Amino acid sequence: MSTKIMLVNPARHFIANQAGLGYLTPLGLVLIGGPLKDAGFEVKLVDHDMNGWPLNRLLEEVADYQPNYVLLGHSGSTASHNVVVQTVQEIRKAFSEIRIIYGGVYPSYAFESILRQVPEIDVIVRGEGEKTVVDLISVWEKSADLEQVAGIAWRRNGEIVVNRPQPAIQNLDEYRPGWELLDWKHYQMFGFDHAAGLQFSRGCTLTCSYCGQWMFWKKWRHRSPQNIVENMKLLKEKFGVKLIWFADENFAADRDLAKELLERIIAADLDLSLNLNMTAADVVRDAELLPLYKKAGVDYIVMGVESLKDNVIADIRKNNPFATSREAVRLLRQNDIISLTNIIYGLEDESWRTLFEKFRGMLELDSDILNAMYLTPHFWTSDGKATDPAKIIQSDLAKWSYRNQVIATSYLKPFELFLGVKLTEALFHLRPKALWRLAAHRDRRYLKIMRASILTGIRVVLAEIWEFIFDTKFVKRGKIKEIFGAERSKQEFTPLA
């Protein structure tokens, strides 16, 4: 009888997804599903979040499939942890013999507190999982002693054991994504159905103080351009995918490699809508390549501008002073590529003055879409370590999603900051320039995607207003004594040494 493995994307139920933003494929689970199947295991993927099921329906799926192992992973980091705990507790209560494995960014860092507080979880995978999960289950099928499996934390006779780090995967092409595990008709975004996440590279060459992704992956690595194009062809021809969002922290970290990939995509003539994450500095560096980006199908470039003040940019270790960000927006507009700029509230102590300065700066930046985010102090990041826990006013981890205020400000009450941010978003997207572009832009593809994006944004903002009024509570400053998950072993996290 074959070994059965169920991969579960837990039901985070983020309000932005439910309000119409849509759902991308749970890429982390897809990336470990392929290697598990190729190793001879029977694998089923259940996207509990996208399906929107109650927990009892998930338990019915588990009962029907009768897996030997349940693996849970998510893209929501800290914000998804509590729902993972609730899910594994219900699974363990109903199925005492199933072995439960948990992986992702948050558990990779918070493994000690999790293993101490959540006995239902048997093993935590730390770092990237393609090789680790195959090694783990292969060994576990033969023995209860997991000492030889690199990249995991587990318990032996009640004591927490931290195994040696798993070396970084040097050839990512060796591990194929398990695309066949997905129910494709439910994944859509920006008016495109059958939307897929795809990862060209891992890691980032920057070391931004608020971000932990560069720490998690340790160094920038990539699949070969040929492998990426083969995956794109498969997604288009076999699964009907129309939109691909590259889940890279820094897509164009290597200019020549990005150019080769774009040229291969153009030669393949796939007619896919592509969305990328790039730094403003790389957009400016690649000014002469932007026609290639457009020809390859790149409709949307997300840039982490974060702040419009050069001193703040320097403090957080970004590489895009305001003049660079403004030039990047201009170049993207020149090439009919939509620019979405992330701005983080909380990198400075916000007041009505700072909110007005951000709004004025955004008008000068003149990007197509503003994505307003809040500084979220994940304990493993530089900013998280520097945050005074007494300033934390949001005790609900589900709200640590970058779209909700977590840290108190000295000059604004939570409802005042929320009001200021939402007014900024509304007034920015209703500025005359933006409305004119929505009505009469020269590029039909731009019009289609921008109109769909703005309509989605309106639904999301309305949902967030409802959530703030009826489903958001804050605690008093000083009540939180420690940032969540920060209690950990003295061993530094170096899973990809």
Side-chain angles (χ1 to χ4, degrees):
M1 184 177 178
S2 63
T3 300
K4 290 184 175 183
I5 301 167
M6 177 176 281
L7 309 176
V8 177
N9 185 32
R12 301 172 298 157
H13 296 325
F14 286 173
I15 201 163
N17 298 106
Q18 295 175 312
L21 182 61
Y23 291 87
L24 279 176
T25 49
L27 185 58
L29 296 178
V30 171
L31 289 172
I32 65 173
L36 285 169
K37 287 196 68 176
D38 292 347
F41 301 115
E42 186 177 336
V43 182
K44 179 182 179 69
L45 191 154
V46 176
D47 194 338
H48 191 201
D49 189 39
M50 182 271 294
N51 287 322
W53 295 334
L55 260 175
N56 64 335
R57 173 63 191 279
L58 175 63
L59 296 179
E60 291 174 5
E61 290 288 316
V62 176
D64 288 343
Y65 189 60
Q66 297 185 340
N68 306 99
Y69 301 87
V70 170
L71 281 66
L72 298 99
H74 54 72
S75 60
S77 193
T78 304
S80 295
H81 175 63
N82 280 353
V83 75
V84 169
V85 173
Q86 181 186 9
T87 302
V88 300
Q89 287 174 340
E90 292 299 317
I91 291 174
R92 174 65 73 223
K93 189 186 303 180
F95 310 98
S96 60
E97 300 303 315
I98 289 177
R99 288 168 167 169
I100 298 177
I101 304 165
Y102 181 23
V105 176
Y106 182 81
S108 289
Y109 290 102
F111 67 93
E112 186 169 353
S113 61
I114 294 170
L115 287 175
R116 188 167 53 250
Q117 297 166 12
V118 191
E120 293 84 1
I121 293 172
D122 295 301
V123 173
I124 287 176
V125 172
R126 305 178 68 222
E128 60 188 0
E130 288 93 334
K131 176 172 170 50
T132 302
V133 294
V134 172
D135 290 348
L136 169 61
I137 295 176
S138 298
V139 169
W140 219 343
E141 285 290 282
K142 303 171 185 175
S143 168
D145 188 357
L146 305 179
E147 185 75 37
Q148 63 181 290
V149 182
I152 65 170
W154 55 295
R155 300 182 203 85
R156 182 197 287 126
N157 299 324
E159 296 295 320
I160 295 174
V161 180
V162 184
N163 289 8
R164 69 189 186 280
Q166 178 72 260
I169 296 174
Q170 297 304 313
N171 184 1
L172 292 170
D173 290 1
E174 291 181 355
Y175 298 89
R176 71 166 188 91
W179 302 119
E180 70 277 13
L181 296 171
L182 295 167
D183 184 356
W184 282 98
K185 63 180 177 294
H186 296 295
Y187 297 104
Q188 60 83 30
M189 186 165 282
F190 304 137
F192 290 87
D193 58 11
H194 293 67
L198 181 60
Q199 190 182 54
F200 171 45
S201 64
R202 293 182 175 179
C204 185
T205 55
L206 301 179
T207 60
C208 301
S209 62
Y210 57 87
C211 178
Q213 290 296 324
W214 62 272
M215 300 167 63
F216 182 79
W217 297 114
K218 295 298 175 185
K219 63 179 182 178
W220 192 84
R221 290 161 293 136
H222 61 87
R223 289 180 179 269
S224 68
Q226 179 181 353
N227 178 269
I228 288 296
V229 172
E230 288 171 355
N231 271 279
M232 293 172 69
K233 285 181 179 177
L234 178 68
L235 289 169
K236 171 71 181 291
E237 295 170 2
K238 186 171 182 179
F239 301 108
V241 167
K242 298 176 183 176
L243 178 147
I244 291 177
W245 189 294
F246 279 92
D248 300 47
E249 280 75 41
N250 197 343
F251 175 86
D254 186 316
R255 181 183 187 276
D256 293 337
L257 198 65
K259 181 174 181 288
E260 180 187 348
L261 175 56
L262 293 169
E263 290 172 340
R264 285 178 177 268
I265 292 172
I266 291 168
D269 191 24
L270 296 174
D271 190 28
L272 289 166
S273 177
L274 308 180
N275 300 264
L276 312 177
N277 298 305
M278 289 179 65
T279 67
D282 286 349
V283 171
V284 174
R285 180 202 67 191
D286 290 354
E288 65 191 57
L289 298 182
L290 290 178
L292 267 185
Y293 280 82
K294 180 66 176 178
K295 190 174 181 182
V298 175
D299 293 316
Y300 219 111
I301 288 182
V302 179
M303 296 182 292
V305 170
E306 322 309 8
S307 176
L308 306 172
K309 294 183 177 180
D310 288 355
N311 63 315
V312 177
I313 289 296
D315 285 344
I316 63 175
R317 305 195 293 263
K318 288 286 285 192
N319 64 345
N320 51 275
F322 181 71
T324 299
S325 297
R326 182 174 55 193
E327 176 64 4
V329 169
R330 186 191 70 81
L331 289 168
L332 292 178
R333 176 157 296 121
Q334 190 178 74
N335 288 274
D336 299 326
I337 298 173
I338 295 169
S339 58
L340 185 152
T341 48
N342 294 330
I343 300 294
I344 298 178
Y345 288 78
L347 291 174
E348 52 189 319
D349 203 357
E350 303 296 354
S351 64
W352 289 116
R353 178 181 59 81
T354 65
L355 296 187
F356 178 73
E357 288 173 349
K358 283 185 176 64
F359 177 62
R360 186 172 59 187
M362 284 301 303
L363 292 179
E364 186 178 349
L365 187 67
D366 197 29
S367 58
D368 292 304
I369 298 176
L370 161 64
N371 182 34
M373 306 169 71
Y374 295 88
L375 181 62
T376 302
H378 302 301
F379 72 83
W380 57 90
T381 66
S382 297
D383 282 347
K385 292 174 182 177
T387 298
D388 180 357
K391 292 184 177 180
I392 301 296
I393 56 174
Q394 182 51 262
S395 61
D396 181 1
L397 281 188
K399 297 293 192 293
W400 287 46
S401 64
Y402 303 103
R403 298 290 295 179
N404 305 85
Q405 182 183 358
V406 173
I407 306 171
T409 58
S410 300
Y411 308 107
L412 297 173
K413 296 177 181 178
F415 84 88
E416 292 176 323
L417 180 58
F418 180 80
L419 176 63
V421 170
K422 293 308 166 191
L423 280 174
T424 298
E425 288 180 306
L427 293 173
F428 177 77
H429 292 113
L430 291 173
R431 69 196 190 282
K433 283 183 181 179
L435 294 176
W436 174 248
R437 289 172 191 143
L438 275 179
H441 197 277
R442 64 186 179 184
D443 188 275
R444 290 185 179 181
R445 200 171 182 103
Y446 174 100
L447 283 174
K448 175 185 176 181
I449 298 172
M450 270 299 297
R451 289 171 180 173
S453 298
I454 293 299
L455 288 173
T456 297
I458 291 170
R459 291 195 295 269
V460 168
V461 167
L462 291 175
E464 288 177 336
I465 292 171
W466 185 95
E467 180 186 55
F468 185 85
I469 295 172
F470 298 106
D471 192 35
T472 302
K473 296 179 181 179
F474 296 97
V475 299
K476 291 182 179 180
R477 287 183 56 157
K479 183 173 182 179
I480 306 298
K481 304 301 182 184
E482 185 178 60
I483 294 180
F484 298 107
E487 195 177 332
R488 62 195 189 281
S489 73
K490 294 179 181 178
Q491 176 181 334
E492 286 296 315
F493 174 53
T494 54
L496 302 179

